[in-house]
Each structure stands twice: as C-alpha cells, then as structure tokens.
C-alpha cells in the first residue's frame, strides 16, 4: 500500500508542504516551502491542554470502571465461577496477554485505515458492551454456577456460562486493545510538536497521563473492588457499566475540538519494501558517502521528520542504492518501490530495529509487574487483612492499590523534584535520558522481587509455627503476619513502573517514525502481553515440575504448603540477568536524530563559538 500524504481531519485546514529532495545528513540546510491551491494559509489549531479533560476524562472513567474489575476478576473466577486458583491465574494471564497483543492489530488498523479518533470510538463502545456482558454473568443466576459456600468440592461452570463469559471478555479485548495504543498518541496529537510549548506539553503530558491513569486505578482497586467483594458482585459490576457509559459521553463531547490525524497507509509495507530491496541488492558494494550517494527523494507532504543518516545496520543502505536498472517517475519517485527505497525509509527501519533489543529487555522486566498483580492477592488472602479493631478486612485484590499508590506519588515527586534537580546537573530537559529512566525501573523491579521472596518466606514460617487466624476457603490457614508487610514489595514495583512504564511509552513514541505513533503505543502493550504469556509459561512449568517433587509443589493451592518464595527468588535471578542484558543493549543504542535537530545543534555550536570569539576579542 502506498503511503498517503500526511493529513489532519479537523475543522481548520492547513497548507501542505511542497515537494523537496535531499535531507537526512547532519548539517544539510533544508527549507520546506509551503503552497496550496488557493494560496491561502489557514492555521491548524492545536488546543493542547484545553482538550485534555475530554481525553484524560475518558481514560479516567474507563480505568475506574474496568481496571478494578479486571484485577478482581481473579477473585471473581474463583469465588463465583468456582475455578481453581491455578486455572484462574492462567486464564487471567492469557486474557491480559491477548488484550496486549490485540493492541498491535488495533494499531495496524488505526495507522493504516481508520485513524486514532475512529479507532477509539469503536473501542470505548466495545468496552461498554464488554462490561455489560460481565455484569450479566453476575446478575443473571443462569449465567454462573451455583455458589458452593464452604464446600470442599464445587460445581464448575457449564459450557454455555463459559461462552457467555468469554463473549464479555472478547469485547473487553477489542475495547482495551483499541484504547491502549491509541489514547496516549491521540492525546499527544493535540500538542504542536514544532513549538517549544508543544514539546514541553508532550513531555509533561506523559507524566500526568500516567498520574491520572494510576489515580483512577487506585479508586477502582479500593472502592469498586470493595463493593464487588463485600457488598454485591451485581452492584459492584454495575459501576463499570455506568462509568463506561459516562466515558463514551465525555469522549464524544469533544468531537469538534480534537485534532484528528488521518491514517496515512500501512507503515509495515514500507518496512517490508526496505528489507526486500536490501535483500535483492545484497551483492552491491557499499557506497563511499551514504549521505550524498544514496537515493533520497522526499515526496510532497511527507508525514515523518527527515532523519540524519546513521551508520548502523549498513546492510540496509543497499536498498537506497540507485542502479542503472532502477527507473524513476517524472515526479522523482521510484517506479518500483520494492526495488528502490529512499535513505529516509531506510533510516526509519533502522529506528525500529534499534528499539527491538530494548523492547525485549522491557518485556522480561514486566514479568515482575505481572506477577505482583496476581500472587500478592493470594498472599493477602492467607495473611492478616484486619484493619484496626473494628473487624474491617481489606479485600485481597485491593492490596494491588499500593503498587498504584507508589507509582502515583513517585510520579509527582519525580516530575516536581527529581527532574528539576537532575536537569541542573545534566543539562537534559528530562533530567536523565530515557534509557537511564527505563534502566532505573528494571533495577527497582529486581529489588521488588527480592523483597517479595523474603516476605513470603516470613509469612509462611509464621503460618507454620504460630497460631493461625482461621481458614481461608479453598486455600488454607491464615497466617497471623499482617498483610501490610506486602506493601514494600508493591511500592517498589510501583516506583519501577513510574520509571520504566512512562519511560518506555515516551521512548517508543519519540523513537518511532511519526506515522507509527499508534504502533509505538502498541509495542509497549505487546511487551506486556509477552510477559503475561511468559508468566503463564513459567507458572505452568514450575507447577508441573515441582508438583511431585520431594520438597513439594512451589505453587500449591495452599501457599503454606508451597514454596512461593523459591519462585520469587528464581525470578529475581532472571531479572538480574535481564538487567545486565539491558545495560549492554543500552550502551550500543543510538537515539533518533532528525535533520532539524542536527541543524539546531550545529547552529547552537556556531553561536557559542561566535560568543567565545567575541569574549576573547573583548578580553584582548
């Protein structure tokens, strides 16, 4: 598919850029001229923070309604659908993985055919319908198994009940799969990327987007989860339905205010062409001066920033070598784009290839967060959850809120204290580089898993050596250790997310070409999906391997009879290895540099040189 010119669907129109050639090499002075059929310039209005109430409001209501339900779905499947913990954890991880892999398909459809606004429109409606289906499984007696109470053996769900549940989950997959990769990029679209205020707005937007995101999750994981677990599943699941309906209203209320970037054709086709052309021309000798010898015609209205040439992955440069067999059209474009690509297209593919090793390390990192969202719930259920002397018990699923709290508080501290302090030392706008931020997150994830192992070892020892507080149905005896001891590991995981999750999203957004911003959002969630499937694989493998071992099943239904701490320590070792791998990949990584940025650096250096010369003259 040919890449379409960059277009913005909005009430205002703007002038297209004219055709120009060249670019991409540091120091080349390129000028974009502007023309239009009516020779009139109409400014595109970027409303920035003015439209954030609609975008972030929609996100907040969606997260308040859905996240708590998804977190508590583990308890719902075991208590209402009478599934075993092992089966429920596997379903949750597979479901989470499917949602996250679905973001890749949604990003493809978004960037290729529909654009972010239309994709989000379908997604928010699907989330509403999915939450409605889940509500019906609780409200209609025939759609869930008979409650088993304190019975040791319970009747499982029927085929029809499972099918109806899966229909609701499938709609949530469609909804969440569309919202996750597009909403953040859609919000960033509302800022002018060419102005200083717009650039600062985008940088701050990532932090405050995640702040709202996690704050909404805190409300969801406390209020919504408490109502679902202690009042009524029917009432508790009615809340997401109501909130998703409000989310739809808020989102569509801003219809006439948004900047709506239209789909510009399949970016995957461009990647495939570069690879195909490089393979066909693999026998050619490398050119001596790539900046000048490689074909680099830039068509009119090209949607991406012009990139500076980089000498990594030089085997791809051959895709842009102009041979006598290559024919050009009158407008300067290649007659066969599968045989000849531009240097710009080659550099865009290099951007993506450079990101992949970093992405892999981040996918492994997310193992820590995935497991901190599941097994601490089971640990809390077999710990002392009483708060005060009134007999109030914190729901097991609510403990995950401490992860969100740690992330939320640290985001504010990081944005207002850490970044300004580091900025004075490093001179960088963000205080530290994006890779340094991600690496800090991986380190805190390592600490989180290490602390988790020691806490679980202590919880089980107290349960086996001291009087217990009763029996948790279908689990085992409740340890007298306070569940509050789970807070440190969850807070550390939250700090890890404040570093790594936001750092990843900003990293992918800035390192990917502009026409792949939705893909940039999806690759984050695909990594989360990979970690979910990897977590399911590790849980299944460890369960089967240790089930009949002399030392006992590490992941037994009764945690007091298991060795969950061994599992945590195993993951700690894996995270340590992953941290070493990330540091190695980060050492060789080169950030994307646009031609404008290269010219800006040269201009700044020239101005500084002139200033020093003038100072020297004055001194003399």
């Amino acid at each position: 598919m040919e890449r379409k010119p960059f277009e913005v669907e909005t009430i205002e129109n703007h002038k297209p850029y004219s055709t120009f050639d060249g670019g991409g090499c540091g120091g080349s002075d390129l000028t974009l001229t502007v023309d239009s059929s009516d020779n009139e310039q109409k400014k595109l209005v970027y409303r920035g923070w003015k439209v954030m109430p609609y975008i972030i409001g929609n996100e907040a209501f969606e997260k308040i309604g859905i996240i708590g339900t998804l977190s508590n779905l583990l308890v719902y499947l075991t208590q209402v659908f009478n599934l075993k913990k092992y089966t429920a954890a596997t379903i949750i991880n597979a479901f989470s993985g499917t949602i996250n892999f679905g973001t890749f398909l949604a990003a493809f459809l978004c960037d290729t055919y529909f654009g972010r606004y239309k994709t989000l429109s379908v997604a928010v409606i699907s989330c509403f319908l999915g939450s409605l289906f889940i509500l019906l499984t609780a409200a209609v007696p025939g759609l869930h198994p008979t409650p088993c109470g304190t019975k040791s053996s319970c009747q499982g769900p029927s085929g029809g009940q499972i099918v109806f549940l899966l229909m609701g989950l499938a709609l949530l997959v469609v909804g969440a799969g569309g919202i996750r990769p597009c909403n953040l990029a859609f919000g960033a679209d509302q800022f002018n990327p060419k102005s200083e205020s717009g650039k600062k707005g985008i940088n701050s937007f990532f932090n405050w987007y995640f702040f709202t995101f996690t704050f909404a999750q805190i409300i969801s994981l406390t209020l919504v989860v408490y109502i679902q677990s202690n009042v009524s599943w029917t009432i508790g699941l009615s809340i997401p339905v109501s909130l998703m309906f409000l989310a739809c209203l808020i989102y569509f209320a801003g219809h006439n205010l948004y900047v709506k970037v239209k789909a510009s054709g399949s970016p995957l086709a461009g990647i495939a062409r570069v690879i195909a052309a490089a393979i066909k021309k693999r026998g050619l000798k490398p050119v001596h001066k790539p900046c000048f010898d490689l074909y680099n015609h830039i068509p009119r209205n090209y949607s991406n920033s012009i990139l500076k040439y980089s000498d990594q992955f030089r085997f791809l440069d051959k895709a842009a070598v102009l041979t006598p067999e290559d024919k050009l059209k009158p407008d300067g474009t290649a007659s066969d784009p599968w045989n000849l690509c531009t240097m710009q297209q080659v550099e865009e593919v290099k951007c993506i290839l450079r990101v992949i090793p970093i992405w892999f390390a981040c996918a492994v990192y997310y193992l820590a967060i995935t497991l901190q969202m599941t097994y601490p719930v089971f640990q809390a259920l077999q710990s002392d959850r009483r708060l005060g002397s009134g007999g109030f018990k914190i729901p097991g699923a609510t403990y995950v809120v401490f992860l969100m709290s740690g992330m939320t508080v640290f985001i504010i501290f990081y944005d207002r204290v850490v970044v300004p302090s580091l900025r004075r030392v490093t001179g960088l706008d963000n205080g530290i580089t994006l890779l340094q931020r991600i690496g800090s997150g991986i380190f805190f994830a390592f600490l989180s898993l290490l602390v988790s192992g020691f806490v679980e070892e202590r919880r089980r020892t107290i349960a086996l050596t001291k009087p217990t507080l009763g029996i948790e149905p279908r689990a085992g005896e409740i340890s007298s250790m306070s569940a509050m001891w789970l807070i440190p590991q969850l807070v550390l995981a939250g700090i890890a997310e404040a570093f790594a999750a936001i750092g990843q999203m900003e990293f992918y957004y800035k390192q990917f070409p502009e026409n792949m911003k939705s893909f940039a959002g999806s690759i984050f969630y695909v990594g989360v999906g990979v970690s979910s499937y990897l977590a399911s694989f590790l849980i299944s493998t460890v369960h089967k391997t240790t089930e009949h071992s002399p030392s006992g099943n590490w992941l037994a239904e009764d945690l007091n009879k298991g060795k969950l701490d061994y599992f945590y320590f195993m993951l700690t070792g894996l995270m340590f290895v992953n941290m070493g791998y990330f540091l190695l990949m980060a050492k060789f990584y080169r950030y994307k540099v646009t031609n404008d940025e290269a010219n800006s650096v040269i201009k700044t250096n020239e101005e500084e040189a002139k200033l020093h010369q003038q100072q020297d003259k004055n001194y003399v």
Side-chain angles (χ1 to χ4, degrees):
M1 177 181 295
E2 293 292 337
R3 183 176 297 169
K4 300 176 183 177
F6 179 75
E7 296 180 83
V8 179
E9 178 186 328
T10 181
I11 298 174
E12 305 279 351
N13 293 320
H14 69 293
K15 294 182 180 179
Y17 294 112
S18 66
T19 304
F20 66 97
D21 292 280
C25 298
S28 58
D29 188 13
L30 297 178
T31 303
L32 297 182
T33 59
V34 181
D35 69 352
S36 62
S37 57
D38 56 3
N39 295 321
E40 294 180 1
Q41 184 173 359
K42 296 181 180 179
K43 189 178 180 182
L44 174 65
V45 177
Y46 290 93
R47 293 182 171 86
W49 291 106
K50 293 181 181 179
V51 295
M52 288 306 108
Y54 301 101
I55 296 174
I56 296 183
N58 162 55
E59 178 77 13
F61 279 116
E62 186 263 334
K63 288 296 178 286
I64 292 174
I66 298 301
I67 290 295
T69 300
L70 294 182
S71 177
N72 215 21
L73 195 59
L74 194 66
V75 179
Y76 184 70
L77 292 179
T78 55
Q79 293 185 357
V80 178
F81 270 74
N82 300 335
L83 297 177
K84 291 184 177 180
K85 290 179 181 178
Y86 162 74
T87 305
T90 302
I91 289 175
I92 293 298
N93 285 327
F95 170 65
S96 299
T98 305
I99 284 181
N100 292 309
F101 275 110
T103 61
F104 190 81
L105 176 60
F108 171 77
L109 295 174
C110 174
D111 286 341
T112 305
Y113 298 108
F114 306 118
R116 284 186 267 278
Y117 176 75
K118 292 179 181 178
T119 303
L120 285 169
S121 299
V122 173
V124 294
I125 293 173
S126 295
C127 265
F128 167 70
L129 294 176
S131 60
L132 180 61
F133 270 63
I134 300 297
L135 166 62
L136 292 176
T137 62
V140 180
L143 293 178
H144 61 258
T146 304
C148 64
T150 57
K151 297 178 183 177
S152 57
S153 90
C154 305
Q155 178 184 353
S158 65
Q161 292 167 345
I162 287 292
V163 168
F164 196 86
L165 175 67
L166 292 178
M167 287 174 62
L169 296 179
L171 285 168
L172 290 179
V173 166
V174 173
I179 290 175
R180 291 182 177 184
C182 298
N183 210 26
L184 189 62
F186 184 64
D189 286 342
Q190 311 310 310
F191 296 91
N192 185 353
K194 300 296 183 182
S195 69
E196 285 300 318
S197 61
K199 291 177 181 178
K200 291 179 180 178
I202 291 174
N203 289 337
S204 185
F205 170 69
F206 281 101
N207 283 330
W208 290 104
Y209 178 91
F210 271 91
F211 170 79
T212 306
F213 174 95
T214 52
F215 184 74
Q217 287 180 310
I218 291 173
I219 297 175
S220 180
L221 292 169
T222 51
L223 180 62
V224 177
V225 167
Y226 177 79
I227 294 174
Q228 290 175 352
S229 301
N230 296 278
V231 179
S232 166
W233 281 104
T234 301
I235 296 175
L237 291 172
S238 298
I239 297 175
V241 177
S242 304
L243 292 178
M244 277 311 306
F245 181 72
L246 287 175
C248 291
L249 293 180
I250 291 173
Y251 176 72
F252 290 114
H255 168 76
N256 292 326
L257 301 176
Y258 301 135
V259 171
K260 303 166 189 171
V261 178
K262 291 184 177 180
S264 59
S266 174
L268 297 182
I271 297 172
R273 287 170 184 160
V274 170
I275 295 173
I279 292 174
K280 290 177 183 178
K281 297 181 176 181
R282 62 187 180 276
L284 297 178
K285 293 182 178 180
V287 296
H288 295 293
K289 296 181 179 180
C291 285
F292 304 101
D293 296 338
L294 295 178
Y295 169 72
N296 198 30
H297 172 81
I298 308 297
R300 185 171 67 92
N301 296 348
Y302 196 71
S303 60
N304 297 338
S305 299
I306 309 306
L307 301 179
K308 180 179 178 293
Y309 174 78
S310 62
D311 60 0
Q312 290 181 319
F313 306 109
R314 296 193 64 178
F315 62 90
L316 292 175
D317 292 350
K318 296 178 181 180
V321 175
L322 184 61
T323 65
E325 291 76 21
D326 294 317
K327 305 299 180 183
L328 301 180
K329 296 179 182 178
D331 63 357
T333 59
S335 297
D336 186 355
W338 291 92
N339 282 328
L340 178 64
C341 302
T342 66
M343 187 183 77
Q344 170 73 15
Q345 291 172 315
V346 172
E347 287 302 316
E348 290 172 4
V349 175
K350 289 181 181 180
C351 287
I352 298 168
L353 291 180
R354 280 194 288 263
V355 166
I356 291 176
I358 301 296
W359 169 83
F360 179 78
C362 293
V364 176
Y365 145 79
Y366 225 87
L367 262 177
I369 309 303
T370 299
L371 291 167
Q372 292 290 13
M373 299 288 284
T374 51
Y375 273 98
V377 175
F378 296 139
Q379 289 176 274
L381 292 175
Q382 287 191 250
S383 301
D384 185 2
R385 293 180 285 123
R386 293 175 298 180
L387 189 63
S389 57
F392 173 79
K393 286 187 178 181
I394 301 175
T398 299
Y399 279 86
V400 183
V401 78
F402 292 109
L403 188 154
M404 308 301 171
S405 300
M407 181 179 180
T408 304
V409 173
F410 191 77
I411 286 174
I412 300 173
F413 178 75
Y414 182 81
D415 192 66
R416 296 302 180 187
V417 178
V418 177
V419 171
S421 300
L422 291 174
R423 188 182 293 139
R424 288 191 291 268
V425 177
T426 64
L428 299 174
D429 289 340
N430 291 332
I432 56 176
T433 66
L434 292 174
L435 289 178
Q436 288 172 339
R437 182 170 185 171
I438 295 171
S440 300
I442 295 176
F443 174 72
F444 276 98
F446 164 78
L447 292 180
S448 173
L449 289 172
L450 184 64
V451 171
S452 299
F454 288 119
V455 170
E456 171 56 20
E457 182 182 37
R458 180 63 178 168
R459 188 208 62 78
R460 191 182 71 250
T461 299
I462 291 176
L464 296 176
T465 59
K466 295 184 179 181
T468 57
L469 305 178
I471 297 178
E472 176 67 21
R474 302 180 60 194
E477 292 184 302
I478 300 173
S479 173
S480 59
M481 186 194 83
S482 173
M484 292 298 178
W485 283 103
L486 298 172
I487 293 178
Q489 69 191 61
L490 294 170
V491 169
L492 285 171
I495 295 174
E497 278 287 81
F499 275 115
I502 301 175
Q504 281 182 74
M505 289 296 285
E506 189 173 353
F507 175 74
Y508 299 142
Y509 184 85
K510 291 182 176 179
Q511 297 303 301
F512 268 57
E514 282 80 355
N515 68 323
M516 295 187 70
K517 296 305 184 186
S518 298
F519 274 98
S522 73
I523 194 174
F524 170 81
Y525 290 106
V526 169
V528 177
V530 168
S531 74
S532 295
Y533 283 117
L534 183 57
S536 295
F537 171 76
L538 288 175
I539 290 172
S540 177
T541 302
V542 170
H543 176 76
K544 292 177 181 178
T545 303
T546 63
E547 187 175 13
H548 302 293
S549 67
S551 60
N553 190 347
W554 286 12
L555 304 177
E557 285 290 300
D558 182 357
L559 296 183
N560 298 332
K561 298 179 181 178
K563 296 289 190 299
L564 181 59
D565 51 331
Y566 289 8
F567 186 61
Y568 278 131
F569 289 135
M570 181 189 76
L571 293 174
T572 302
L574 178 63
M575 197 59 58
F576 182 79
V577 173
N578 183 56
M579 187 163 54
Y581 164 79
F582 173 82
L583 293 175
L584 181 63
M585 293 299 102
K587 181 180 180 180
F588 293 102
Y589 186 84
R590 294 185 184 178
Y591 289 93
K592 181 179 78 173
V593 179
T594 66
N595 193 69
D596 289 341
E597 291 170 340
N599 287 336
S600 177
V601 171
I602 292 173
K603 184 177 179 181
T604 302
N605 291 339
E606 289 175 348
E607 290 176 351
E608 289 179 352
K610 290 179 181 179
L611 179 63
H612 288 310
Q613 290 176 358
Q614 186 64 39
Q615 290 175 342
D616 291 340
K617 290 180 180 179
N618 294 338
Y619 177 75
V620 173

